[in-house]
Amino acid sequence: MGRTVNGQPGLVAQHAGVTVAVIAFDITGHRISRIWAVLNPDKLHAWTTA
């Protein structure tokens, strides 16, 4: 699902209603210049909807 992540364009990947990854993209011009991914389940809990 496309989302804004820390003010950047991003993605939130979920499996069975549980967030498994949050990815943010830094855009320079019309290209992705950096990608940040959070995979730590302890940090992803806040992204999982009840």
Side-chain angles (χ1 to χ4, degrees), residues 1-25:
M1 157 183 1
R3 300 274 293 265
T4 300
V5 177
N6 294 331
Q8 301 287 0
L11 296 171
V12 176
Q14 295 185 331
H15 182 275
V18 177
T19 301
V20 294
V22 174
I23 302 167
F25 303 98

Side-chain angles (χ1 to χ4, degrees), residues 19-43:
T19 301
V20 294
V22 174
I23 302 167
F25 303 98
D26 188 19
I27 308 295
T28 302
H30 295 292
R31 296 178 181 242
I32 297 171
S33 57
R34 292 185 182 146
I35 300 171
W36 290 274
V38 177
L39 304 172
N40 181 337
D42 294 330
K43 294 183 177 185

